[in-house]
Each structure stands twice: as structure tokens, then as C-alpha cells.
Amino acid sequence: MNSNNDRRVILRATNLTKDLPLGKVVVHAVRGVDLTIFENEMVGIVGPSGSGKSTLLGLIGGLDVPTEGRIEIDGVDVTNMSEGKLTEVRNQKIGFVFQFFNLVPTLTALENVALPIQFAQRPKFDPEQRARDLLDMLGLANRLNHRPMELSGGQQQRVAIARALANNPPLLLADEPTGNLDSEASVVVLDALRDVWRETGTTVVLVTHDHELASQMGRVLHLIDGRIIDKEVSV
């Protein structure tokens, strides 16, 4: 296996800080986080409710602006980027999967997955064929023409994963992706994320409060009170 020195850096955060005003009090949601994540890693960020996990994910995904610090995505410094350029970076370099699936209810699974390609300024793929290929990879070839309300929760989340991969981003960010699912569907979704990691080489960063779920990632980071307190590698 190559050492990290030989691997491309997909995400680098330096002194990442986010302060949130709450009335007369300032909440220090993220406190000086330094983080480097390499290509083809599968990283779990675990911590209790209120530890800053979702805030950290929003920062590294360009959905929020840090109070201090710097963020690079696949070699591109996005810290002070204009919203227009940041939107393009998110569309091309980052896939998002959330606890709530955020699928367009009036569109089929195929149409939901094809949507990000249709919005891309420089599409890499034929939208329909790419959507078919991704849904097939995630075991949904027989659900292409079903709308979200016709799918189970686990199936909807797999459609959301396929949509996140539509433009072949180097980085996939998952915020509590099994938090709205029962245990059986959670296993299916976790297996789907591992399949994505193995078959596409996409770097996966997953945040969760579930230590057992996080332990199945290749690397686990513990976040407490907005700080990464230690790091461990799991098998």
C-alpha cells in the first residue's frame, strides 16, 4: 500500500473555526480543527449531539463559511471563493448525502440522479446513462421509474447516494446517512457506501453519533466540543 506521502490530498482543513452567535453568547461550534484526508480513504467522524459534527461537515463541504481557517478541496482553496465559483466546485468535486434524503418528490429515481449532471456547466456524462449505471451499481435497476414515495427509506437513501455520485466527485460527504433508517436499512446503506468506495475510489467522509457505525470506516476521528481529540485506525 502507498504511504500517505504518495497519495493525493482530497481535503485539507487548517485551523478551521466556526463561532455561532446565540443571543448574547457565542457558541464555539468548531475550534481550530486541522484535518487532512487522502484519496480513496473512508473516514468516520464520530461524536455526541452538539459536538460540532454537522457544522464541521458543512464547512468542509463549502455549505458554510468559517470564522477562521482555510479549506482546500482537491487542491482548490475554497475559503474565500465567490458563491458562483463555490457552487461549481461543489457540483464537480463534492457529493452530499444527508439524513433526510432531499429527493425531488415529483421525479423518478432516474430523474433525481440525472439532475446534477443536467445542471453541470461542463457535463462529463450522458445524464440518463450515468443515472442508470449508478442505480444499477447500488442495486436499484428495477426501481428506475419509481418516485420517492414508492420507495422504502433505504432505497431512497441509495438513490440519494447515486445522485451524490452523478458527476463523479472525488469527495463524498455523508451526514448521519443512516439516522432516519431502521437497523436493517442502515446495514444496506452502509454496504452501499462501502461498495461506492471500493468500486469508484471516491473518498468518503461520514459523520455519525454511532460509534459502532464509525468503527467500520477505515479511519475514525473523535470530535468533542468542536475539537478532534484523537485519531484511530480500524481494520
Side-chain angles (χ1 to χ4, degrees), residues 47-53 176 208-209 225:
S49 177
S51 61
K53 304 185 302 299
E176 298 277 8
T208 180
H209 66 277
D225 295 332

mmCIF file of all heavy atoms in Angstrom, residues 47-53 176 208-209 225:
data_model
loop_
_atom_site.group_PDB
_atom_site.id
_atom_site.type_symbol
_atom_site.label_atom_id
_atom_site.label_comp_id
_atom_site.label_asym_id
_atom_site.label_seq_id
_atom_site.Cartn_x
_atom_site.Cartn_y
_atom_site.Cartn_z
ATOM 1 N N GLY A 47 -19.073 11.637 17.211
ATOM 2 C CA GLY A 47 -19.170 12.477 18.397
ATOM 3 C C GLY A 47 -20.616 12.600 18.821
ATOM 4 O O GLY A 47 -21.533 12.327 18.034
ATOM 5 N N PRO A 48 -20.853 12.999 20.064
ATOM 6 C CA PRO A 48 -22.223 13.124 20.552
ATOM 7 C C PRO A 48 -22.940 14.300 19.916
ATOM 8 O O PRO A 48 -22.335 15.143 19.248
ATOM 9 C CB PRO A 48 -22.021 13.351 22.061
ATOM 10 C CG PRO A 48 -20.664 13.980 22.168
ATOM 11 C CD PRO A 48 -19.843 13.369 21.081
ATOM 12 N N SER A 49 -24.246 14.375 20.138
ATOM 13 C CA SER A 49 -25.037 15.503 19.665
ATOM 14 C C SER A 49 -24.466 16.792 20.234
ATOM 15 O O SER A 49 -24.134 16.871 21.414
ATOM 16 C CB SER A 49 -26.490 15.324 20.104
ATOM 17 O OG SER A 49 -27.265 16.423 19.723
ATOM 18 N N GLY A 50 -24.322 17.799 19.381
ATOM 19 C CA GLY A 50 -23.790 19.079 19.840
ATOM 20 C C GLY A 50 -22.285 19.185 19.812
ATOM 21 O O GLY A 50 -21.728 20.214 20.218
ATOM 22 N N SER A 51 -21.604 18.157 19.314
ATOM 23 C CA SER A 51 -20.136 18.180 19.310
ATOM 24 C C SER A 51 -19.562 18.979 18.150
ATOM 25 O O SER A 51 -18.360 19.251 18.114
ATOM 26 C CB SER A 51 -19.585 16.747 19.267
ATOM 27 O OG SER A 51 -20.010 16.084 18.085
ATOM 28 N N GLY A 52 -20.405 19.343 17.178
ATOM 29 C CA GLY A 52 -19.940 20.139 16.045
ATOM 30 C C GLY A 52 -19.762 19.358 14.764
ATOM 31 O O GLY A 52 -19.224 19.884 13.785
ATOM 32 N N LYS A 53 -20.232 18.109 14.725
ATOM 33 C CA LYS A 53 -20.014 17.248 13.553
ATOM 34 C C LYS A 53 -20.629 17.834 12.281
ATOM 35 O O LYS A 53 -19.972 17.951 11.260
ATOM 36 C CB LYS A 53 -20.602 15.850 13.792
ATOM 37 C CG LYS A 53 -20.111 15.119 15.013
ATOM 38 C CD LYS A 53 -20.669 13.715 15.080
ATOM 39 C CE LYS A 53 -22.185 13.638 15.081
ATOM 40 N NZ LYS A 53 -22.805 14.321 16.236
ATOM 41 N N GLU A 176 -24.867 11.768 8.926
ATOM 42 C CA GLU A 176 -25.816 10.853 9.584
ATOM 43 C C GLU A 176 -26.692 10.136 8.551
ATOM 44 O O GLU A 176 -27.930 10.158 8.638
ATOM 45 C CB GLU A 176 -26.693 11.608 10.587
ATOM 46 C CG GLU A 176 -25.950 12.262 11.730
ATOM 47 C CD GLU A 176 -25.639 11.306 12.888
ATOM 48 O OE1 GLU A 176 -25.868 10.090 12.723
ATOM 49 O OE2 GLU A 176 -25.164 11.776 13.936
ATOM 50 N N THR A 208 -21.288 10.752 12.271
ATOM 51 C CA THR A 208 -22.316 9.982 12.965
ATOM 52 C C THR A 208 -22.105 10.083 14.473
ATOM 53 O O THR A 208 -21.001 10.379 14.944
ATOM 54 C CB THR A 208 -22.260 8.499 12.531
ATOM 55 O OG1 THR A 208 -23.278 7.768 13.214
ATOM 56 C CG2 THR A 208 -20.910 7.871 12.838
ATOM 57 N N HIS A 209 -23.168 9.835 15.221
ATOM 58 C CA HIS A 209 -23.043 9.712 16.676
ATOM 59 C C HIS A 209 -22.865 8.247 17.078
ATOM 60 O O HIS A 209 -22.633 7.943 18.243
ATOM 61 C CB HIS A 209 -24.300 10.270 17.358
ATOM 62 C CG HIS A 209 -25.528 9.454 17.064
ATOM 63 N ND1 HIS A 209 -26.259 9.619 15.907
ATOM 64 C CD2 HIS A 209 -26.126 8.447 17.754
ATOM 65 C CE1 HIS A 209 -27.274 8.759 15.909
ATOM 66 N NE2 HIS A 209 -27.215 8.032 17.002
ATOM 67 N N ASP A 225 -16.761 18.770 21.618
ATOM 68 C CA ASP A 225 -16.767 20.224 21.825
ATOM 69 C C ASP A 225 -16.022 20.965 20.722
ATOM 70 O O ASP A 225 -15.270 21.915 20.977
ATOM 71 C CB ASP A 225 -16.161 20.574 23.192
ATOM 72 C CG ASP A 225 -16.997 20.044 24.343
ATOM 73 O OD1 ASP A 225 -18.221 19.907 24.168
ATOM 74 O OD2 ASP A 225 -16.426 19.753 25.409
#
